Amino acid sequence: MEQILVIGAGLAGLSCAKSLQKAGHSVLIVEKSRGVGGRVATKRLYNTCVDQGLPALEPQGECTDQLLADLMSARSLQLWTDITHQWQENYSLLPRSMGKQYSLPDGVNAIAKHLAQDLKILRQQRVEQIHYAHDNWEITCQMAEGELTQYQGKALVLAVPAPQAIPLVAPLKLPSLLTPLESIEFDPCISLMVGYTPTPQWEALPWQILTLPQSTTLQKIFYDSRKRSHPEQVVFVLHSHPDFARHYIDSDNLETVARTLLRAAQETLDLPFDSPQWQQIHRWRYARPSNNLGSAYLSTAEPLPLICCGDWCLGNSAEAALLSGYGAAQWLNTRPQLD
């Protein structure tokens, strides 16, 4: 039996588990996906890698500064850009300074893999239920093969988006947790990855990050292949506007959704986005918290320590996720039940 169970291997769950393990606790992470990182996600496809969620890591405070320092000593972290361009109604580009955006040639998911080193993580196990039994938290998971398995611990960390925590917490009848969880809302995003043959027209583009404030279809376009060493193709990642994603998030026809996004990019920018060599689409139902808890975590000590953490506790940023994870670990380290 593990002493502490962590549900979710995003930045908050990994940073929490890392800190707890460093303090001497036995920790087990249970993750529903095949990989780690949550929205810090990189796809390997068509002989390249593409960042389909978080595009880069930005220094936003003490936690991200330390993570960047660790990555710089361990990997070939590189500056991608410190400028975003905004598309204007008069078909011009307005450059704006922003925080330095750092990328990794093998994808932003390398950040999560770095945090996951030496942690015990069970992948492709979806948590179906949590309950208190025999003086332990017990979680029931469905494995990829459909079989059910259970794990027990003296403390439980829910490092998942608040809407995903609600159905797990609701049966416990803990209003001190459930009511704040129900107050958190998320904006969805549809992410479209597309690849093209290099042409002078693509290579002449002056931007790495383009925002489209007038569009109700597209929010941002990222020139993803400019993060790679010697790219053989031109790759973009298109992020939809939240309202567009809300309308199409449950669509059965993702091919039509992709065409709509590409048509919007082509008509707005007058660039040949409509004929990619390849494309792949991903739905982020909980892409960005649109409000936040206002504190680093949400917790109860009864009947045993249970704590919820994530970027939604403090805001929409990697710094918020890391701060929340570390804060949750600090709270658990003070629990007498874990001495």
Side-chain angles (χ1 to χ4, degrees):
M1 182 186 72
E2 307 298 333
Q3 192 174 26
I4 302 175
L5 303 174
V6 177
I7 300 174
L11 288 185
L14 292 172
S15 59
C16 180
K18 198 85 169 178
S19 186
L20 289 168
Q21 184 169 280
K22 189 177 291 187
H25 297 292
S26 174
V27 185
L28 172 67
I29 301 177
V30 178
E31 167 58 43
K32 68 177 181 179
S33 302
R34 285 181 294 179
V36 298
R39 285 161 283 168
V40 184
T42 301
K43 273 281 189 183
R44 273 107 180 123
L45 67 171
Y46 300 98
N47 298 317
T48 189
C49 60
V50 188
D51 295 326
Q52 65 177 353
L54 182 76
L57 186 61
E58 177 184 355
Q60 298 163 328
E62 185 177 341
C63 294
T64 43
D65 286 349
Q66 183 59 57
L67 181 55
L68 282 165
D70 293 344
L71 289 164
M72 283 178 182
S73 65
R75 298 174 177 273
S76 54
L77 193 72
Q78 60 191 20
L79 177 65
W80 177 36
T81 185
D82 58 0
I83 296 175
T84 183
H85 286 80
Q86 183 174 296
W87 186 251
Q88 304 293 291
E89 289 182 332
N90 62 356
Y91 300 96
S92 65
L93 290 171
L94 177 63
R96 293 181 178 274
S97 297
M98 64 185 304
K100 292 181 179 180
Q101 307 289 307
Y102 289 92
S103 63
L104 294 98
D106 49 349
V108 74
N109 185 249
I111 297 167
K113 291 179 179 178
H114 174 78
L115 289 171
Q117 290 179 39
D118 303 320
L119 293 176
K120 185 176 181 180
I121 304 173
L122 299 179
R123 297 168 171 84
Q124 291 186 280
Q125 300 210 19
R126 180 184 295 274
V127 178
E128 300 291 338
Q129 183 184 37
I130 62 176
H131 64 278
Y132 177 73
H134 311 297
D135 199 31
N136 286 294
W137 287 117
E138 187 172 86
I139 65 173
T140 301
C141 302
Q142 184 177 56
M143 297 186 288
E145 302 81 11
E147 298 178 7
L148 296 178
T149 187
Q150 293 181 325
Y151 307 100
Q152 292 183 330
K154 290 297 182 183
L156 180 60
V157 180
L158 298 183
V160 298
Q164 292 182 331
I166 288 172
L168 298 175
V169 170
L172 302 177
K173 302 189 186 314
L174 296 170
S176 63
L177 296 185
L178 188 59
T179 301
L181 286 171
E182 291 175 336
S183 72
I184 303 299
E185 297 180 352
F186 275 75
D187 286 333
C189 177
I190 295 176
S191 174
L192 178 62
M193 298 159 278
V194 285
Y196 302 87
T197 299
T199 65
Q201 187 177 24
W202 290 128
E203 293 171 357
L205 293 178
W207 48 266
Q208 266 69 275
I209 301 174
L210 182 66
T211 62
L212 299 98
Q214 286 82 33
S215 176
T216 57
T217 302
L218 284 167
Q219 189 171 62
K220 291 183 179 181
I221 302 177
F222 303 97
Y223 203 145
D224 191 84
S225 53
R226 284 186 171 166
K227 304 174 191 173
R228 314 296 164 220
S229 302
H230 312 295
E232 297 180 358
Q233 53 190 306
V234 170
V235 179
F236 296 99
V237 179
L238 285 64
H239 282 189
S240 75
H241 191 281
D243 290 340
F244 179 90
R246 270 186 277 272
H247 186 75
Y248 289 104
I249 197 75
D250 293 312
S251 174
D252 293 328
N253 191 345
L254 290 179
E255 183 69 29
T256 298
V257 176
R259 283 200 302 271
T260 303
L261 290 169
L262 291 173
R263 187 166 56 248
Q266 179 181 358
E267 292 175 353
T268 302
L269 304 177
D270 193 25
L271 290 167
F273 276 98
D274 65 327
S275 53
Q277 284 187 305
W278 56 263
Q279 64 187 49
Q280 185 159 330
I281 198 165
H282 185 84
R283 291 179 273 210
W284 295 104
R285 192 174 298 274
Y286 307 114
R288 307 175 190 90
S290 55
N291 63 342
N292 63 78
L293 186 67
S295 59
Y297 50 82
L298 185 61
S299 64
T300 181
E302 299 296 336
L304 280 175
L306 190 160
I307 191 163
C308 303
C309 63
D311 58 353
W312 54 269
C313 291
L314 292 169
N316 174 31
S317 68
E319 181 77 14
L322 294 168
L323 276 172
S324 181
Y326 291 132
Q330 289 173 2
W331 182 82
L332 284 168
N333 284 331
T334 67
R335 297 301 98 195
Q337 298 97 323
L338 300 177
D339 288 342

